[in-house]
Amino acid sequence: MRIGELSARTGVSRRSLRYYEDQGLLVSTRSPSGQRHYDDEHVRRVALIQAFLAAGMSSGTIAEMVPCMTDPDQRKARRAMAVMRRERDRLSAALESLAAARKALDELIDVNLTYLADAADAADAAEGRTPAQPAQPSGPRPVPGG
């Protein structure tokens, strides 16, 4: 497939795909006229690159991991393993921070719900109406996929 089809199939711009090639993240074959050609493995590779970029990895970091995927040898594999472990540790720490922030936000939501329910009850009582049912604290939210 040519670059336009790869772009359409992955949702990644042609410019980004060329950038990935310039950075050594993606390697195409070339036709005699110089046109880039890709196959289904490139679609999977672009998805992986996009996932890594979305997780906050730089193109340079991804490039440090790519050689072990395209042209493996023990030296490259060891070097890439160190980068992969470093990035996994970074992602794990980020996930822990996000979980802590979500927990704090859940607690603030519960406090706010209680406040709003109490304020509504006070307003109802001041006007002689029956108070509404108290708000139930929502508690921790389930973690998708976790």
Side-chain angles (χ1 to χ4, degrees):
M1 79 185 83
R2 293 191 1 207
I3 195 167
E5 184 179 344
L6 182 62
S7 175
R9 288 182 60 185
T10 61
V12 175
S13 72
R14 293 175 190 199
R15 182 177 178 180
S16 291
L17 294 171
R18 287 185 200 100
Y19 173 78
Y20 296 167
E21 280 202 52
D22 291 343
Q23 297 299 304
L25 306 179
L26 201 59
V27 179
S28 64
T29 57
R30 296 285 183 140
S31 71
S33 63
Q35 290 183 328
R36 293 172 170 93
H37 286 276
Y38 305 91
D39 59 30
D40 288 335
E41 182 56 37
H42 289 98
V43 174
R44 288 185 286 280
R45 173 65 65 87
V46 170
L48 183 62
I49 292 167
Q50 289 290 289
F52 286 157
L53 290 170
M57 291 183 198
S58 70
S59 59
T61 296
I62 298 167
E64 290 180 82
M65 297 186 298
V66 169
C68 80
M69 294 187 279
T70 57
D71 186 27
D73 70 33
Q74 287 188 10
R75 183 182 56 79
K76 291 176 186 176
R78 278 193 279 282
R79 189 173 36 203
M81 182 61 76
V83 173
M84 290 177 201
R85 285 188 172 141
R86 181 189 72 216
E87 286 303 306
R88 187 178 192 290
D89 290 346
R90 185 187 62 78
L91 290 174
S92 294
L95 288 169
E96 290 170 11
S97 290
L98 288 170
R102 184 186 57 223
K103 182 180 179 194
L105 186 58
D106 287 342
E107 291 168 2
L108 287 173
I109 288 170
D110 290 342
V111 167
N112 199 41
L113 285 172
T114 300
Y115 169 79
L116 290 171
D118 290 348
D121 288 347
D124 288 343
E127 294 183 17
R129 294 187 297 230
T130 305
Q133 290 290 330
Q136 297 296 318
S138 58
R141 309 288 188 280
V143 178

